[in-house]
Amino acid sequence: MESVFHHVTPHIGFIYPNESELPWTQLIVIYPYITGLVAGAFVVSSLHHVFNIKSFAPVSRFALLTALCFMFFAPSPLLFHLGQPTRAFNAVITPHWTSAMAAFGYVAGFYLCLLILETWFAFRADIVAMSKDRPGFMGKIYGWLTLGSDDVTPKALAIDHKIARILSMIGIPAACGLHGYVGFVFGSLKTREWWSSDLMPVIFLLSAVGSGVGLLIVLYVIASKFRKTPIIDETMRGLLYVLFTAITVVMVIEGLELLEIFYKAREGVETVRELIMGPIWAGMSIQWAMSFFVLAVTSTLLLYNVHGEKLVKWLFAAGLAMMVGVLAMRWNVVIGGQELSKTMKGLLTYYPEVWGRESLSVVALISIMPYLTLWLATKLLPPWKDGEEYGFGALGSHKHT
Amino acid sequence: MPKHIVRLLIVIAAILTIAFSAKQLLIPDSFYQYGHYRGNAITEVASKLPKLQGSASCKECHKKEYEVWTAGIHRKATRNNEVQGVVYKYGPGCEVCHTGPAGNHPSKEAMALSVEDKVTSITHLKVKVHPANVPGRKLMLTPQEMRNVCLNCHEKLPGRPLEQKQIEITSHSGEEVCTNCHNPHSPRIVYASLPIGKRGDAKAGKAIADTCAGCHGEVGKSVSPEWPNLAGQHFDFLVDSLKSFKSGKRPNDTMAPMVEGLNEIDIRNVAAYFSKFSCGVSGGDKVMAALGKGKAENCKACHSAGGLYGSGSAGVSGNPSWPNLAGQNAEYLANTLKAYQDGSRIHPVMTSIAKTLSNDDIEHLAAYYANMKCK
Amino acid sequence: MTKQDKAIKSQEVPMSRRGFLGFLGKGAACTSALACTGAAVGSSLLSEPKRGFQQNEEQLAESINNPPKLEDYNWNDHSWAMGVDTDRCIGCLRCMEACKMENSVQMDAFHHRTWVERYTYLEGSNTAIVDSQADPKNIENAGSETRFRFDNRYKDVKVDKAFFVPKLCNQCEHPSCVQVCPTGATFKAKDGPVLIDTTYCIGCQYCVQACPYGARSFNEVRGVAEKCNWCYHRITKGLNPACVEVCPTGTRIFGDRNDPESPVSLFIKNNHVQVLKPEMGNAPNVFYKGTDKEVV
């Protein structure tokens, strides 16, 4: 049988003919995942900048850089996905405000600018120092970044600190907006039973924070091991608290959503049941297994007041599990929702492509890039101060690295 | 304010100004005119040229076919021969069966296409196929292809409303093509209007009739008086009877297995074969026949060539769907009337009539008609 | 006269002339008040033009006074709607073929602007088995993805009830697809159809997700979304949509609701009609007669 297009999704039951190809594939799975990591990392950073929780001081600038690097790559899955990427700015030029998606251009743009500004304010002192120390071309670059001002008097630095704090405060609701709107894109759609829920924006936001914290834990441990610097116990404890809070709230709300679907038992609930038992069984198992693992580990670590090496090892595992679990959750929501046919009488099973425009290889590429960029960024703007009181350059004297 | 803040604010102001002016400049013409969309898009969408031209456009070059089509059943949207409700599109037009909008005909060139087709875009297709060039799209169909086209609408499918004429293809015509019997532009066949030669192939019917000869005789004169003579019987009535045996409408343990293997064409052929023979007179009791004459006045309306109005030959039915009775075996006629009476054979008219007859009436009528000459 | 009757009668107060005139006056006042309200409501429904979906006052005025320049066509005069009489549909799929040819739709089994579904109740079953012509067995039976035909898979089993239901875009009054389009590439025209501006669409496919009826699809070749638009290029020229034009049994009925004698107005008036998925709140403009509890 000749087929003009090769991408056909196998299905059982009855689906509308136009549903044979899933509109949103793995690219749309990693888009909320990446913005989630951004939001989570930013929340950790602002725990120090806004709430002055000292235990997060060692990672706050690193978290900020993480947020920034991941934010650069947040629009890329969307650009790969669009049918007409050259027209992508149409949504910015004439945004249709009844569409949650139109918010993307403005919210993401605003958030990126906010991150850039905050990073600049947080690193300005170092940038000024490096513009004087680094030779040649790099020195010139830093020079431009200083905007021609080498004012690092305590007064100026105090103003920097204050502005950075304000930006951080604005950043928290902005992060909620950035990630909440993605949840709204899914949750407001009355057509898809698996997505349509008032809880969806909240779920997305909270799991985003969880995944961001997990990312930060993983990166902090790896970076410290790589740099052969000690891992600060207090910081790990702080991250443990945040992770524990995140996972408990996330599990409660996700559980609530599932419960509501089955309790309300509206037309088609049998097909939803079959969806969970069938196409997304693996994904759901991973999501909930990881969630329970994180919950168990974090509660145990808290209960038994674990510190030191053990804390690092287990928290690292929990952080990794959190990242995997949240990715599985994104997959289950995005792909799972489309595997349930709008007829409620059919189920599709999606097999992702390996090569191509919307494929696993592109996903892998987009996933790796932020880490590489982050590594480069830590070389350009080192966030750590070795052997010094940690925190803003503004609050203490700094040494050149 | 520190120098760097001032400079930062200037940079931000510059960027914002550029961004917002760019946004304003880049808004397309006529956007927001009628709503949140480009007003010009309406005329662009509407200006595409229609491809389907309607059947009337075929008239000029294909006059004869068009006339036949206009007069035929394919042009009328009817159910039970009545126009139902408000229906204003009727039957398949030319472009339906001839699989293609006339917009692509007679020139092989595609017509000027729409704004959609002018859009240049990123294509990720394996094979690019233009609709007009899709293989298998021919405007004039071969008879074999035509059979598939006919079956598209006329194959018997559960779910099709019963008003739609549907057939099971192998039992209807075997391997024959539809156009051998049906004019595709006006496919309804009225047998009575066709000469006998056209209604069925008597030669082919002979081959089938060899099986029938065992009871009904080689030339339609049955070997036993309890079985009917078929010679010279109306073609239409023979076809109807065979079809009724086949569908079970007329239950008959002997005939049902006989017609099981016959399809529609076979039925017509064998009917044509028997109907071309001359009927004979089987003879009956003359005394009883005289008694039957009076009673037969009631039968004249249907079973006499003149019907109600004339004095045509008695026993030769005016309507070819009703059987000729003249010269038929008396025993068979009597059995038939008794069958109507006791309900083992059902007919809307004959059942009620038979109930008014006594046993003697039946014997007399049977004898009367058996004595009639059928010419 | 009983005591009761007397009691009742004694309670009757005879009306004085003044009282009567007063009564008349009040009645007149009430009636005229009612009449005025009624006229106000009625005229606001009939004479005052309705705002289109997501259209503000200025834009409404513009669309009335300065309609798009089409030859012999003013979109203010028309309000298109469609009817489907499923009792007539024979599932021949000529409508699909005509649509694909007329609108240059991709010639494969997965992009349809209109399609037909078959519902079959087997003997003893209370639920229908549903298939459409995009079902792989039907495609196999037809020979290729470019031919359209239902197969005869139920010929050897006992079927209680079966029927065909044609589907297409419902051109809703409150279209969810228009609501979610981030750029404004899809929109509701004043005369009814929901159109797509293919030079502006960015291909995000949010509208494809949002349609409750599965009427929209993504055209990979052009990188934009597409759907049935009731052959807008035909109806603005006084022709019928392609599917209506070719339907051999008169299943599809099309017309102008502004004209009470148009086929669709009479269809709606003379039949009990339904719409698909009314609980979605989209208020579709395709009216079905003869659908069944199982029709999705």
Side-chain angles (χ1 to χ4, degrees):
Chain A
M1 178 173 86
E2 42 142 312
S3 181
V4 181
F5 296 103
H6 65 292
H7 199 178
V8 173
T9 318
H11 66 272
I12 55 168
F14 174 61
I15 63 171
Y16 290 133
N18 285 334
E19 286 188 299
S20 315
E21 293 179 45
L22 259 59
W24 288 350
T25 56
Q26 56 266 37
L27 283 172
I28 308 298
V29 169
I30 63 162
Y31 165 67
Y33 188 62
I34 291 180
T35 50
L37 295 173
V38 170
F42 186 80
V43 164
V44 170
S45 165
S46 54
L47 281 173
H48 171 74
H49 289 168
V50 178
F51 300 105
N52 267 322
I53 302 177
K54 287 283 183 302
S55 43
F56 292 107
V59 289
S60 69
R61 293 210 303 178
F62 181 59
L64 197 55
L65 269 187
T66 311
L68 182 64
C69 292
F70 275 79
M71 193 64 205
F72 277 132
F73 289 95
S76 46
L78 300 177
L79 280 175
F80 273 97
H81 163 76
L82 283 182
Q84 293 278 354
T86 50
R87 297 185 195 157
F89 280 96
N90 284 356
V92 176
I93 298 168
T94 56
H96 190 200
W97 294 116
T98 57
S99 167
M101 217 178 262
F104 167 70
Y106 288 90
V107 175
F110 173 74
Y111 200 72
L112 185 61
C113 293
L114 188 133
L115 280 174
I116 291 175
L117 276 178
E118 197 178 331
T119 314
W120 190 74
F121 278 109
F123 283 88
R124 204 180 68 87
D126 296 333
I127 294 173
V128 169
M130 285 193 280
S131 70
K132 296 195 175 114
D133 294 343
R134 292 284 179 95
F137 188 60
M138 281 316 295
K140 274 223 186 83
I141 303 258
Y142 285 113
W144 291 334
L145 282 175
T146 63
L147 289 184
S149 155
D150 60 355
D151 185 355
V152 287
T153 57
K155 184 160 167 262
L157 291 176
I159 293 178
D160 282 356
H161 176 58
K162 196 161 154 212
I163 294 178
R165 190 147 185 270
I166 293 173
L167 286 175
S168 233
M169 286 203 308
I170 299 174
I172 296 176
C176 290
L178 177 70
H179 216 64
Y181 104 86
V182 178
F184 189 79
V185 162
F186 292 101
S188 62
L189 223 50
K190 58 192 169 187
T191 328
R192 291 232 181 254
E193 183 71 19
W194 194 234
W195 291 351
S196 170
S197 164
D198 301 333
L199 293 170
M200 199 56 89
V202 185
I203 293 177
F204 264 73
L205 187 54
L206 292 169
S207 49
V209 171
S211 66
V213 175
L215 172 74
L216 220 42
I217 293 171
V218 167
L219 287 177
Y220 179 54
V221 172
I222 291 177
S224 302
K225 293 279 186 228
F226 193 63
R227 295 174 56 233
K228 298 192 181 50
T229 50
I231 296 174
I232 313 255
D233 193 63
E234 234 190 270
T235 311
M236 290 302 272
R237 291 290 298 183
L239 289 169
L240 169 65
Y241 299 146
V242 183
L243 188 61
F244 175 74
T245 317
I247 189 61
T248 25
V249 185
V250 165
M251 282 181 80
V252 165
I253 298 200
E254 279 178 4
L256 204 61
E257 206 216 346
L258 267 182
L259 181 68
E260 281 210 336
I261 292 178
F262 287 106
Y263 189 84
K264 284 183 181 164
R266 296 161 81 160
E267 188 189 5
V269 70
E270 316 84 34
T271 324
V272 176
R273 199 170 285 133
E274 273 176 59
L275 171 74
I276 296 179
M277 298 299 184
I280 58 172
W281 177 242
M284 289 296 268
S285 313
I286 294 174
Q287 177 189 336
W288 285 95
M290 292 293 135
S291 303
F292 274 107
F293 177 74
V294 173
L295 181 67
V297 167
T298 48
S299 359
T300 318
L301 290 173
L302 275 176
L303 205 58
Y304 289 100
N305 214 4
V306 180
H307 291 270
E309 262 306 305
K310 250 196 178 164
L311 174 65
V312 171
K313 236 195 305 200
W314 282 102
L315 197 57
F316 181 81
L320 209 54
M322 190 70 183
M323 287 177 69
V324 172
V326 172
L327 181 61
M329 177 261 176
R330 303 287 191 251
W331 180 276
N332 293 336
V333 170
V334 176
I335 304 284
Q338 293 169 93
E339 286 180 328
L340 179 63
S341 166
K342 287 175 188 168
T343 61
M344 300 303 274
K345 285 182 196 281
L347 289 173
L348 300 111
T349 308
Y350 176 64
Y351 295 105
E353 284 181 3
V354 179
W355 304 105
R357 186 167 67 112
E358 287 205 41
S359 67
L360 291 173
S361 31
V362 172
V363 167
L365 181 71
I366 295 178
S367 306
I368 293 172
M369 287 306 293
Y371 296 97
L372 289 176
T373 317
L374 180 61
W375 180 73
L376 263 176
T378 52
K379 291 270 175 283
L380 285 174
L381 294 172
W384 301 288
K385 306 268 167 290
D386 295 318
E388 273 281 344
E389 189 187 308
Y390 288 106
F392 266 147
L395 288 178
S397 63
H398 66 274
K399 270 218 185 83
H400 312 153
T401 33
Chain B
M1 215 186 311
K3 200 162 55 167
H4 63 279
I5 304 281
V6 173
R7 296 206 178 156
L8 181 67
L9 285 174
I10 293 173
V11 168
I12 291 177
I15 294 178
L16 282 178
T17 319
I18 296 173
F20 277 102
S21 6
K23 176 181 185 284
Q24 283 304 113
L25 284 171
L26 287 172
I27 295 179
D29 288 338
S30 78
F31 211 92
Y32 297 114
Q33 183 181 9
Y34 303 118
H36 194 104
Y37 56 94
R38 259 182 354 112
N40 290 343
I42 310 244
T43 40
E44 282 168 24
V45 173
S47 63
K48 189 171 149 180
L49 289 170
K51 294 209 190 111
L52 279 172
Q53 301 295 323
S55 308
S57 67
C58 310
K59 193 159 116 178
E60 253 187 70
C61 301
H62 301 279
K63 271 202 200 47
K64 184 156 169 291
E65 284 80 6
Y66 185 81
E67 268 169 36
V68 172
W69 173 76
T70 320
I73 188 75
H74 267 172
R75 177 117 181 5
K76 296 183 174 48
T78 59
R79 195 190 292 181
N80 306 326
N81 285 323
E82 284 166 16
V83 175
Q84 299 290 319
V86 183
V87 178
Y88 69 130
K89 210 44 211 133
Y90 353 73
C94 311
E95 287 155 316
V96 174
C97 300
H98 290 285
T99 60
N104 287 332
H105 171 75
S107 150
K108 276 270 154 49
E109 255 174 31
M111 296 194 62
L113 296 172
S114 69
V115 61
E116 294 165 271
D117 296 295
K118 289 200 197 97
V119 168
T120 50
S121 61
I122 299 167
T123 57
H124 299 275
L125 241 224
K126 302 281 170 194
V127 174
K128 198 170 167 160
V129 183
H130 189 282
N133 296 331
V134 169
R137 297 248 159 253
K138 300 188 281 283
L139 284 183
M140 295 310 293
L141 304 168
T142 62
Q144 279 303 124
E145 259 223 346
M146 205 186 294
R147 187 174 131 122
N148 272 338
V149 173
C150 302
L151 284 175
N152 247 332
C153 294
H154 291 290
E155 180 180 10
K156 192 170 160 72
L157 275 187
R160 285 200 163 143
L162 294 172
E163 295 80 15
Q164 171 73 357
K165 298 254 178 278
Q166 312 164 43
I167 50 156
E168 205 283 291
I169 188 62
T170 33
S171 67
H172 178 81
S173 65
E175 291 297 315
E176 291 270 359
V177 292
C178 314
T179 45
N180 278 355
C181 302
H182 297 276
N183 178 337
H185 300 121
S186 176
R188 180 184 267 170
I189 301 178
V190 181
Y191 293 112
S193 63
L194 295 170
I196 292 227
K198 269 272 181 182
R199 298 183 208 173
D201 184 353
K203 271 209 204 86
K206 181 170 191 323
I208 303 168
D210 283 342
T211 334
C212 315
C215 300
H216 292 289
E218 292 254 350
V219 290
K221 261 205 166 46
S222 65
V223 298
S224 156
E226 62 180 304
W227 301 324
N229 292 333
L230 302 179
Q233 185 56 274
H234 279 307
F235 170 84
D236 284 15
F237 176 73
L238 288 175
V239 170
D240 281 344
S241 304
L242 287 169
K243 280 196 183 156
S244 305
F245 287 132
K246 192 167 164 135
S247 70
K249 205 166 95 174
R250 183 170 155 181
N252 189 309
D253 292 330
T254 321
M255 284 307 294
M258 290 285 138
V259 286
E260 212 177 337
L262 299 180
N263 64 32
E264 180 126 346
I265 297 201
D266 295 331
I267 287 175
R268 296 226 310 273
N269 290 344
V270 74
Y273 174 74
F274 281 116
S275 59
K276 79 176 205 287
F277 289 112
S278 333
C279 54
V281 178
S282 67
D285 194 306
K286 295 250 182 336
V287 173
M288 287 212 268
L291 289 168
K293 184 165 175 185
K295 206 69 196 179
E297 287 298 304
N298 296 334
C299 314
K300 230 169 53 172
C302 300
H303 290 291
S304 160
L308 281 171
Y309 302 104
S311 61
S313 341
V316 178
S317 304
N319 187 319
S321 296
W322 305 328
N324 289 338
L325 303 177
Q328 188 57 273
N329 288 328
E331 188 173 330
Y332 174 72
L333 286 175
N335 287 344
T336 308
L337 284 170
K338 289 202 187 107
Y340 281 129
Q341 227 179 31
D342 66 35
S344 50
R345 188 165 157 184
I346 300 179
H347 186 277
V349 180
M350 286 309 298
T351 302
S352 40
I353 288 181
K355 289 200 167 48
T356 66
L357 300 172
S358 68
N359 278 345
D360 283 337
D361 290 333
I362 288 175
E363 300 296 327
H364 298 162
L365 281 170
Y368 172 70
Y369 280 115
N371 269 310
M372 285 288 118
K373 284 206 192 39
C374 59
K375 285 287 177 275
Chain C
M1 223 198 277
T2 63
K3 224 195 245 169
Q4 247 177 337
D5 290 335
K6 272 200 193 140
I8 292 167
K9 216 161 189 306
S10 68
Q11 281 168 4
E12 281 175 0
V13 177
M15 259 204 210
S16 66
R17 200 187 307 159
R18 205 185 277 175
F20 183 61
L21 283 174
F23 172 70
L24 261 187
K26 274 196 217 134
C30 280
T31 320
S32 57
L34 267 174
C36 281
T37 326
V41 171
S43 64
S44 75
L45 285 176
L46 291 171
S47 64
E48 206 184 281
K50 253 189 5 202
R51 277 207 279 154
F53 185 69
Q54 298 183 344
Q55 200 180 38
N56 63 32
E57 293 293 338
E58 257 176 55
Q59 289 162 339
L60 176 65
E62 177 75 3
S63 64
I64 294 173
N65 302 323
N66 189 17
K69 292 185 183 27
L70 292 167
E71 208 180 303
D72 289 334
Y73 185 81
N74 182 345
W75 70 354
N76 292 301
D77 299 334
H78 302 279
S79 180
W80 303 113
M82 190 154 193
V84 174
D85 185 352
T86 53
D87 293 328
R88 291 178 164 262
C89 183
I90 59 172
C92 65
L93 299 172
R94 295 308 94 205
C95 51
M96 265 194 57
E97 195 174 75
C99 173
K100 289 224 177 191
M101 305 255 81
E102 177 73 27
N103 294 294
S104 311
V105 183
Q106 288 165 273
M107 291 301 280
D108 65 8
F110 313 107
H111 296 81
H112 300 282
R113 295 193 179 194
T114 183
W115 68 94
V116 180
E117 295 168 2
R118 170 169 60 178
Y119 292 77
T120 314
Y121 288 82
L122 294 180
E123 196 186 36
S125 167
N126 193 30
T127 50
I129 305 173
V130 194
D131 67 305
S132 73
Q133 84 297 323
D135 185 275
K137 283 207 225 139
N138 290 335
I139 297 175
E140 221 183 288
N141 179 60
S144 85
E145 279 181 46
T146 58
R147 292 272 184 200
F148 314 109
R149 189 145 157 206
F150 277 103
D151 69 357
N152 202 351
R153 64 180 81 169
Y154 300 112
K155 65 173 180 233
D156 295 324
V157 293
K158 282 207 187 331
V159 172
D160 251 355
K161 173 168 94 168
F163 52 92
F164 295 94
V165 180
K167 295 279 190 79
L168 67 164
C169 170
N170 290 282
Q171 321 287 356
C172 309
E173 283 300 304
H174 314 121
S176 12
C177 56
V178 173
Q179 188 185 24
V180 299
C181 174
T183 60
T186 192
F187 54 92
K188 185 153 174 85
K190 188 153 195 303
D191 42 358
V194 176
L195 303 174
I196 300 180
D197 180 357
T198 50
T199 62
Y200 207 63
C201 173
I202 62 175
C204 70
Q205 301 181 59
Y206 198 6
C207 58
V208 177
Q209 297 285 4
C211 176
Y213 307 102
R216 296 180 79 112
S217 62
F218 180 63
N219 186 327
E220 283 92 344
V221 179
R222 295 171 196 161
V224 297
E226 76 165 20
K227 71 170 188 72
C228 160
N229 58 10
W230 280 348
C231 287
Y232 199 67
H233 61 290
R234 291 180 64 91
I235 62 180
T236 48
K237 298 183 178 75
L239 302 170
N240 282 320
C243 56
V244 177
E245 179 78 21
V246 300
C247 177
T249 55
T251 301
R252 295 176 184 248
I253 297 126
F254 186 78
D256 187 350
R257 288 191 82 174
N258 283 351
D259 171 12
E261 297 298 313
S262 77
V264 82
S265 303
L266 291 173
F267 177 76
I268 294 170
K269 185 171 139 199
N270 295 332
N271 293 301
H272 293 171
V273 293
Q274 284 178 295
V275 294
L276 298 173
K277 297 196 185 180
E279 71 278 6
M280 287 287 165
N282 284 19
N285 278 312
V286 174
F287 301 96
Y288 284 81
K289 166 180 170 265
T291 47
D292 187 83
K293 65 179 173 74
E294 293 277 314
V295 175
V296 291

